[in-house]
Amino acid sequence: MSEILAAPSPSERPPRADPSPAPRRGSLHGAAKFGLVIGAIGVVFGDIGTSPLYAFQTVFSIDNGAVHPSRSDVFGVLSLVFWSITLIVSVKYVSFIMRADNEGEGGIMALTALVQRAWGSTAARTATFMTLGVLGASLFYGDSVITPAISVLSAVEGLKVAEPSLGHLVLPISLTMLTVLFLIQRWGTHRVGGLFGPVMVLWFTMIGVAGLHRVILDPSVIEALSPSYAASFIVAHPYVTFIAMGAIVLTITGAEALYADMGHFGRAPISRAWFWLVFPTLTLNYLGQGSLILHSPAAIANPFFLLIPSWGRIPMVVLAAAATIIASQAVISGAFSVSRQAMQLGFLPRLTIRHTAEREFGQIYVPAINWTLFAAVAIVTVGFGSSARLATAYGVAVTGTFMINTILFLAVASALWHWGRWKLVLAGAVFLTVEVTFFAANLTKIVHGGWLPLLIAFAVFTVMVTWQRGREIVTANRTAKEGPLQQFVDKLHDSNLPRVRGTAVFPHPSSETTPFALRANVEHNHIVHENVVIISAKSENVPHIAPADKLTFDELGYVGDGIVHLTARFGFQDLPNLPKALDLACAADPKLASALDLEGASYFLSRITIRVTDAPGMSRWRKRLFLALARNAASPTEYFGLPDDRTVLMGTQVDV
């Protein structure tokens, strides 16, 4: 492992963020804006948009049919579904939480960064919020494994309704579809969104039309949208309601993807897509399924596909299969965003990130996350084998993420928006009451498969906190071993060592200590380059840094001696390309440009070998985990955009 990036401390106030991303979207013409809406429909809403495939069916199959196909029960469930979607998605996420963006970036880690900034002066409280954020991100990964499996399986299982003799093909077809989905991620979400958007527009149109047909046949079902039916159902059947909430939550899975994927498309396109198309068609489809169950109780077996005329079921299976592949895209692209933010905040090692669009910096592909998710999804798909079995595992991670998001949002609303106490109490009471109920209801699923997302979340949480703690230990030991930079420079001036022609660039985490590579060059080769640039890449908890705030120079007490320190600040959306930062520095300072030979500059990386010891600070097994993570981190040469043919690695050993 080399050049471990130091994450910004909680007390460090980030510089002014680059305002360019917002104008970039705001300046788009009408066709481009419409394209973003279509792209958002294709990427963001796949998960929540395919919930009708299995959610309503699951509600009526829980606890051996505890919810009956009677008018009171069906209307009660429909009312609970509608108001759950309204409160959690329309009100909480779209109307409130998506306003808590970190310079356009969304997701639980972006929200955590906002909390870190808002409560930076209170270390203990900040640490608590950061832990909650990491836990929420870990739960999101648990959801990201189950969503593709249950979505694709539920669609392909429509074959058993349309043609029972094809039931044995469900699993192999599902695995093939999932493989193709993960293979095409390298194309980027903008291309995937452009491909998937029209398909999802067709999907939402068709499920809306299918539901509308039943509503026209039985308009009285619209009465179920009244909250009075939900209230009556709760009062009449409190225990059944509690159990049913564990299945009703399936109708809002995917809500977190709206926020996590906000950096890919922007808040406005996602909001327009939700209110113009997604929300109305989902409501119509659930009303249609409810009406069908009322008139044909046997339809409980699969109300979604039985809502479709027999002649249209095979085409609908094909469309559903395409839609569920797209459903998986929402959590996959969300996982990419969360992973990048976790890296920049110091909770994950450096991973290779590929930016897949020139206009939208939020659109990325992270190969390591992509293939790790694929392996986990494939194992879960084969292990559970059906959407019905997976439904018992679904919901625990989702509801846990909902609650953590609400708590972090209230912290932001209090500190940054200065909400009054009554607003905080009201919002907390409304959102948390619903979400705690969902979470408690889903705890009953733990022994039936709900342990799976919790196990995944625990594993991810362990990795994140281990990496953060290991970095702290290594950074402290490394700092002690490197020695003060200013003292080293002072000795250089007293030593009269020969200066050789050329420019040497030393990437290094800070200006406080001496790069090992520089120290080794002096102590072993007894030379100093004519121009020495020590450059530190600092990640800030804002998405972008304005050019005027990106660079800071320090001549280290000696003007014109050819030894300078440069701090380059990057937002967590920015690519930390050090050669480009040096080009920017030369453009800002003509004297520096004339002195440095950047085209022929050599880059010297301090290669650190970590040695596991019995020193206190972390248990030995966590140290070994940290070592394994460090060894699999992305190459610093690639991460910092350094030229391979002009980069030299010089090693040393640091204990952990």
Side-chain angles (χ1 to χ4, degrees), residues 15-310:
R16 178 172 59 88
D18 183 358
S20 59
R24 181 172 62 247
R25 287 197 179 101
S27 62
L28 295 175
H29 54 79
K33 289 180 179 178
F34 181 73
L36 280 177
V37 172
I38 298 300
I41 293 172
V43 171
V44 176
F45 295 102
D47 186 3
I48 196 168
T50 53
S51 294
L53 280 165
Y54 50 83
F56 219 68
Q57 174 187 1
T58 304
V59 173
F60 285 89
S61 63
I62 59 169
D63 204 20
N64 297 317
V67 181
H68 304 294
S70 62
R71 179 182 174 87
S72 60
D73 282 16
V74 170
F75 275 35
V77 168
L78 282 172
S79 185
L80 284 170
V81 167
F82 175 76
W83 287 104
S84 294
I85 296 174
T86 299
L87 284 175
I88 300 301
V89 186
S90 298
V91 178
K92 177 187 164 181
Y93 276 99
V94 178
S95 300
F96 286 103
I97 285 192
M98 288 179 65
R99 295 180 184 273
D101 65 288
N102 198 346
E103 301 297 333
E105 182 73 6
I108 195 164
M109 293 307 294
L111 189 59
T112 302
L114 278 178
V115 173
Q116 184 187 39
R117 193 193 317 174
W119 297 90
S121 59
T122 311
R125 192 174 295 176
T126 300
T128 300
F129 287 135
M130 291 297 287
T131 301
L132 280 176
V134 173
L135 180 58
S138 303
L139 289 169
F140 181 78
Y141 282 106
D143 179 34
S144 300
V145 171
I146 296 180
T147 295
I150 191 174
S151 298
V152 172
L153 279 170
S154 63
V156 182
E157 284 169 354
L159 282 174
K160 293 190 289 188
V161 176
E163 187 59 57
S165 63
L166 299 178
H168 65 284
L169 296 177
V170 168
L171 192 57
I173 291 175
S174 298
L175 286 173
T176 301
M177 291 168 55
L178 289 167
T179 302
V180 171
L181 172 66
F182 282 94
L183 280 172
I184 65 174
Q185 291 304 310
R186 66 187 67 188
W187 292 351
T189 52
H190 69 300
R191 292 188 179 92
V192 172
L195 174 66
F196 286 170
V199 176
M200 287 307 294
V201 170
L202 177 62
W203 167 259
F204 284 115
T205 302
M206 294 308 297
I207 67 171
V209 168
L212 179 62
H213 175 69
R214 283 297 319 179
V215 171
I216 291 173
L217 293 176
D218 179 17
S220 66
V221 76
I222 298 176
E223 297 175 22
L225 300 183
S226 169
S228 62
Y229 287 98
S232 298
F233 185 69
I234 293 170
V235 171
H237 312 286
Y239 173 75
V240 173
T241 301
F242 178 74
I243 299 299
M245 291 293 274
I248 289 172
V249 73
L250 299 176
T251 64
I252 55 175
T253 57
E256 170 63 16
L258 274 68
Y259 187 44
D261 284 328
M262 190 167 63
H264 292 246
F265 299 98
R267 176 178 176 270
I270 292 175
S271 299
R272 293 187 186 110
W274 172 252
F275 286 113
W276 292 355
L277 178 67
V278 179
F279 189 24
T281 54
L282 284 176
T283 301
L284 283 171
N285 192 264
Y286 284 123
L287 288 174
Q289 290 190 47
S291 173
L292 178 64
I293 289 174
L294 271 178
H295 291 83
S296 303
I300 289 174
N302 199 317
F304 178 84
F305 282 106
L306 292 173
L307 192 64
I308 309 298
S310 58

Side-chain angles (χ1 to χ4, degrees), residues 352-527:
T352 299
I353 296 177
R354 297 175 186 168
H355 291 254
T356 58
E358 294 181 3
R359 293 179 64 89
E360 297 296 326
F361 294 119
Q363 297 185 359
I364 60 171
Y365 169 61
V366 187
I369 299 299
N370 185 66
W371 296 116
T372 301
L373 271 181
F374 172 66
V377 169
I379 291 171
V380 166
T381 302
V382 174
F384 280 79
S386 71
S387 62
R389 293 182 62 190
L390 267 172
T392 62
Y394 211 17
V396 180
V398 175
T399 52
T401 305
F402 285 167
M403 291 190 300
I404 293 172
N405 257 322
T406 298
I407 294 169
L408 294 176
F409 167 75
L410 293 176
V412 169
S414 174
L416 292 184
W417 298 351
H418 308 292
W419 275 18
R421 181 169 296 179
W422 71 270
K423 281 187 178 181
L424 295 171
V425 171
L426 178 61
V430 172
F431 297 141
L432 286 175
T433 298
V434 175
E435 290 165 355
V436 168
T437 303
F438 276 135
F439 183 72
N442 277 278
L443 289 179
T444 62
K445 299 180 179 181
I446 288 180
V447 295
H448 302 291
W451 53 268
L452 176 63
L454 294 181
L455 178 63
I456 295 169
F458 176 76
V460 174
F461 182 80
T462 301
V463 166
M464 286 187 170
V465 296
T466 297
W467 180 256
Q468 182 200 37
R469 178 58 184 151
R471 287 178 67 256
E472 291 174 351
I473 295 172
V474 168
T475 300
N477 292 342
R478 173 180 179 158
T479 299
K481 194 171 183 178
E482 287 170 334
L485 176 60
Q486 189 62 58
Q487 186 181 90
F488 182 82
V489 172
D490 291 339
K491 288 183 178 180
L492 276 183
H493 278 268
D494 295 336
S495 65
N496 295 318
L497 286 175
R499 304 292 288 265
V500 298
R501 294 185 61 183
T503 299
V505 180
F506 297 87
H508 191 62
S510 76
S511 62
E512 301 300 320
T513 59
T514 309
F516 280 126
L518 175 58
R519 185 181 291 278
N521 207 28
V522 169
E523 293 178 353
H524 297 288
N525 298 327
H526 307 293
I527 58 170

